[in-house]
Amino acid sequence: MMTELSLNVLDVAQNSVKAKASLIEISVRSDFEKDLMTIVIADNGCGMDEQQLAAVCDPFYTTRTTRKVGLGVSFFKLAAESAGGEFSITSEKGVGTTVTASFQISNIDRMPLGDMTATMHSLITLNADIDFVYNYRVDDKEFTLDTREFREILEGVPFDVPEVSQYIKEYLSSNKEEVDSGKIL
């Protein structure tokens, strides 16, 4: 089992990368009044047929040839359901896939959110040809990072250039702090 939810997000997003997505949207929304955190990862990758979709939560199903298990999605599902939440995955061949996991924030079995700044920074800087939209919301405050806007401003300068990479990391970190005001997620 993974130790924090951000690692589940990283794993599912890597599935989107392998599915040849050109756009991956990741949303983390926490509503303390409703005691609910919802994480959505949506992509425009190759999608799955009904047979693949039915098997994707099985830990012994994987499309990889390097190992015989695919634990990422099943661990994410287990994490959500263990924390009083729900899990769903929808997919359409040729259109994309959406994974949604919800968690009761106060549930003692909910894993911490973890370092979403590092997760998003890694995804963005290590996948140069993929666009990401990241939305982070806590109660009534939120921010969105859209790499398509960054690309327009940077006019072709890659995200892995040290100064750009550092700016992205600082942008994610400072906006996260402003949005969650130090609330432990």
Side-chain angles (χ1 to χ4, degrees), residues 70-84:
L71 298 172
V73 173
S74 58
F75 276 166
F76 200 28
K77 181 178 190 280
L78 178 63
E81 292 172 348
S82 296

Side-chain angles (χ1 to χ4, degrees), residues 81-112:
E81 292 172 348
S82 296
E86 297 176 357
F87 181 88
S88 69
I89 184 166
T90 59
S91 189
E92 186 177 336
K93 199 80 168 155
V95 176
T97 302
T98 300
V99 174
T100 304
S102 65
F103 307 83
Q104 181 185 19
I105 294 173
S106 65
N107 190 298
I108 194 165
D109 292 322
R110 181 184 60 85
M111 291 187 293

Side-chain angles (χ1 to χ4, degrees), residues 2-185:
M2 297 184 189
T3 57
E4 55 188 47
L5 297 173
S6 63
L7 296 176
N8 291 120
V9 171
L10 180 62
D11 185 76
V12 173
Q14 282 302 116
N15 291 343
S16 297
V17 170
K18 288 179 185 127
K20 302 191 182 333
S22 62
L23 177 64
I24 301 171
E25 299 177 74
I26 299 171
S27 169
V28 177
R29 295 177 175 258
S30 299
D31 185 327
F32 279 85
E33 188 174 309
K34 292 180 181 175
D35 195 27
L36 183 68
M37 176 192 298
T38 304
I39 299 173
V40 179
I41 303 133
D43 69 52
N44 67 351
C46 64
M48 293 181 275
D49 60 34
E50 288 182 30
Q51 183 179 8
Q52 290 171 310
L53 188 58
V56 76
C57 290
D58 179 349
F60 299 104
Y61 172 80
T62 184
T63 58
R64 296 180 183 171
T65 57
T66 56
R67 65 181 191 203
K68 296 184 190 290
V69 293
L71 298 172
V73 173
S74 58
F75 276 166
F76 200 28
K77 181 178 190 280
L78 178 63
E81 292 172 348
S82 296
E86 297 176 357
F87 181 88
S88 69
I89 184 166
T90 59
S91 189
E92 186 177 336
K93 199 80 168 155
V95 176
T97 302
T98 300
V99 174
T100 304
S102 65
F103 307 83
Q104 181 185 19
I105 294 173
S106 65
N107 190 298
I108 194 165
D109 292 322
R110 181 184 60 85
M111 291 187 293
L113 178 58
D115 194 348
M116 280 302 298
T117 295
T119 293
M120 290 309 305
H121 179 259
S122 296
L123 286 168
I124 291 166
T125 58
L126 297 175
N127 296 288
D129 297 330
I130 300 173
D131 280 309
F132 290 87
V133 175
Y134 174 56
N135 179 263
Y136 182 74
R137 180 181 180 105
V138 177
D139 296 328
D140 62 345
K141 293 182 181 178
E142 71 181 305
F143 85 94
T144 300
L145 179 153
D146 187 334
T147 59
R148 296 170 295 190
E149 294 172 1
F150 279 45
R151 286 183 203 287
E152 193 174 305
I153 293 166
L154 291 170
E155 298 178 343
V157 177
F159 294 149
D160 62 354
V161 168
E163 296 83 6
V164 175
S165 173
Q166 184 62 34
Y167 175 79
I168 292 169
K169 184 182 253 180
E170 289 171 4
Y171 180 89
L172 287 162
S173 181
S174 64
N175 278 286
K176 177 203 172 297
E177 289 174 21
E178 187 175 315
V179 168
D180 65 25
S181 304
K183 288 183 179 177
I184 307 266
L185 294 173

